[in-house]
Amino acid sequence: MRPFSLRTRLLPPSEPCGLPEWFGRNLDAWSDTIETRGISEVIDSHDILIVHVDRRGLFGGNLREAEVLAGIFDGEQNRLIVHGSA
């Protein structure tokens, strides 16, 4: 398994996740990308996707969007790990 860390980087519109320019950036789009696969060769190239985020910005409080996004990760093939304290 090769690590793929974005913790210290802001995500540009399509890189480094390999998302097509036409592809949406809303929660439904991320759900399709993470759960269904077949959209990003970068993400699909990993058998297990482990996303590390810091507890700030989207994950810095009790935002509904953060809860929805966290719910996409199944804990097996797709894992979300939140670091730090708010």
Side-chain angles (χ1 to χ4, degrees), residues 3 22 28 31 33-34 45 51 55 59-60 62 70 76-77 81:
W22 55 263
D28 289 334
S31 176
T33 303
I34 294 168
S45 69
V51 177
R55 192 174 304 275
F59 293 98
N62 294 321
E76 295 175 18
Q77 182 182 4
I81 301 172

Side-chain angles (χ1 to χ4, degrees), residues 32-39 43-44 46-47 49 77-78:
D32 290 344
T33 303
I34 294 168
E35 290 182 312
T36 308
R37 305 272 180 125
I39 296 167
I43 291 174
D44 294 351
H46 300 276
D47 294 332
L49 177 66
Q77 182 182 4
N78 308 303

Side-chain angles (χ1 to χ4, degrees), residues 60-81:
N62 294 321
L63 296 176
R64 180 190 162 284
E65 293 84 358
E67 292 176 15
V68 171
L69 184 57
I72 294 169
F73 294 86
D74 63 15
E76 295 175 18
Q77 182 182 4
N78 308 303
R79 301 176 191 152
L80 177 68
I81 301 172

